[in-house]
Amino acid sequence: MKKIIAMMMALMLVLTGIAVFTACDGGEENKGSTETTTAAATTEPAENEAPKVLKMATNAYFQPYEFYKDGKIVGIDAEIAAAIAEKLGMTLEIVDMEFDSIITAVNEGSVDFGMAGMTVTEDRLKEVDFSTSYANGKQVIIVKEDSPITTADDLFAEGAAYKVGVQLGTTGDIYATGDFGAENVTTYSNGNEAVLALLGGSVDCVIIDNEPAKALVAANAGLKVLDTAYANEDYAICIKKGNTELLDAINNAIKELTADGTIDAIIAKYIK
Ligand code: ARG
């Protein structure tokens, strides 16, 4: 009798063990797209030592790279960053801020890196280091469906003085200000506000990155994206100058995540 009880208890212990194990396993799922991601560690921290936090600055009004879904920041950048954090055995924390503040935050050290569909430019390279590029982008032009602007060239036509809307501090802002003068460029906090201004008639077009442009046009009737691109660019992660340890670690992670198809799969999930 004692033997049977002992056997039953042992069996119960094993079953509980399986139940606990399965529960943990299920918990690991769909972590890739959450705002704060606990990464499964390759270099697991000691038992009761919390995994180190990797802080990313972004501007989460830039679908499909970073945007809010059910109160969480999701998107291509959010998922690639989560995969990088996982490689480094760290927990990703995303801090949403004005696009214009990202480089400052990186340099002040309030965040570890910036990832925001950010284009590598000569000027930015003077302020921060950039990782290897993980995606391409291009600047395009959004107009109202019945707009007299039909190609990028129309903006440069003799005597044309179209009003351009852009997101503050973006390459769209920088290029448009250079080409058309600050007096013809109005800056907004994000692409959505620029598009509302276009619909309201305060600007004649919006210059913004291609994929966010498509998302904005899909969400707002009466708009279209012109076929001719305004500029081609590479997106990369920005890191404080001199932080070669983090730069190397991120570049290594990008290399591995490119080689095993993770980055392509994440991009394909958001860009059909
Ligand atoms: N690619 C452009 C730039 O680097 C725009 C990026 C805007 N990103 C954002 N998350 N709002 O200037």
Side-chain angles (χ1 to χ4, degrees), residues 59 62 66 99 116-119 124 167 170-171 209 233 235:
N59 170 255
F62 203 63
E66 42 267 329
F99 180 76
M118 189 182 280
T119 307
R124 288 177 184 160
Q167 180 180 18
T170 58
T171 45
D209 303 53
E233 352 191 88
Y235 293 163

Side-chain angles (χ1 to χ4, degrees):
M1 188 61 181
K2 262 191 186 154
K3 235 185 180 175
I4 294 173
I5 291 172
M7 268 173 67
M8 277 173 68
M9 279 175 71
L11 187 65
M12 270 170 69
L13 274 173
V14 170
L15 286 176
T16 333
I18 290 170
V20 168
F21 193 76
T22 324
C24 290
D25 203 36
E28 281 302 311
E29 263 161 43
N30 61 43
K31 277 189 170 172
S33 55
T34 51
E35 190 169 351
T36 301
T37 304
T38 310
T42 29
T43 47
E44 198 91 45
E47 265 308 292
N48 34 29
E49 184 190 314
K52 278 205 197 121
V53 173
L54 188 63
K55 269 196 185 179
M56 155 177 160
T58 200
N59 170 255
Y61 298 90
F62 203 63
Q63 197 173 344
Y65 298 96
E66 42 267 329
F67 57 102
Y68 282 92
K69 197 180 171 201
D70 305 328
K72 294 270 172 212
I73 297 173
V74 299
I76 294 171
D77 288 346
E79 287 204 30
I80 294 177
I84 291 173
E86 184 170 335
K87 286 261 179 222
L88 306 187
M90 297 173 92
T91 302
L92 179 70
E93 187 186 315
I94 301 180
V95 188
D96 188 14
M97 60 181 72
E98 292 293 315
F99 180 76
D100 201 27
S101 306
I102 296 175
I103 288 185
T104 312
V106 166
N107 281 334
E108 281 173 358
S110 59
V111 295
D112 299 301
F113 67 93
M115 191 173 190
M118 189 182 280
T119 307
V120 182
T121 69
E122 288 302 319
D123 280 339
R124 288 177 184 160
L125 276 166
K126 289 178 195 149
E127 297 180 77
V128 281
D129 285 338
F130 277 100
S131 70
T132 4
S133 174
Y134 62 88
N136 305 114
K138 55 183 176 190
Q139 296 297 309
V140 296
I141 302 161
I142 307 177
V143 292
K144 280 196 193 168
E145 260 161 9
D146 58 359
S147 173
I149 306 167
T150 56
T151 69
D153 287 343
D154 290 345
L155 295 179
F156 296 89
E158 188 69 46
Y162 290 114
K163 298 283 175 217
V164 182
V166 294
Q167 180 180 18
L168 178 68
T170 58
T171 45
D173 179 10
I174 298 159
Y175 304 154
T177 303
D179 285 340
F180 313 113
E183 67 280 13
N184 291 313
V185 178
T186 311
T187 56
Y188 298 91
S189 165
N190 58 59
N192 196 43
E193 284 180 18
V195 157
L196 290 179
L198 172 62
L199 288 167
S202 20
V203 296
D204 301 306
C205 67
V206 168
I207 297 181
I208 192 168
D209 303 53
N210 187 40
E211 291 303 327
K214 285 199 247 167
L216 287 165
V217 167
N220 294 280
L223 300 177
K224 65 178 181 191
V225 178
L226 296 185
D227 291 335
T228 42
Y230 183 62
N232 291 306
E233 352 191 88
D234 291 320
Y235 293 163
I237 293 172
C238 69
I239 299 149
K240 190 179 177 151
K241 265 193 185 300
N243 190 352
T244 46
E245 198 184 319
L246 183 61
L247 180 66
D248 291 349
I250 288 181
N251 277 340
N252 249 327
I254 291 178
K255 200 171 164 189
E256 287 174 24
L257 295 166
T258 304
D260 71 6
T262 305
I263 290 184
D264 276 350
I266 293 172
I267 293 176
K269 187 170 146 190
Y270 287 95
I271 300 176
K272 304 287 173 208

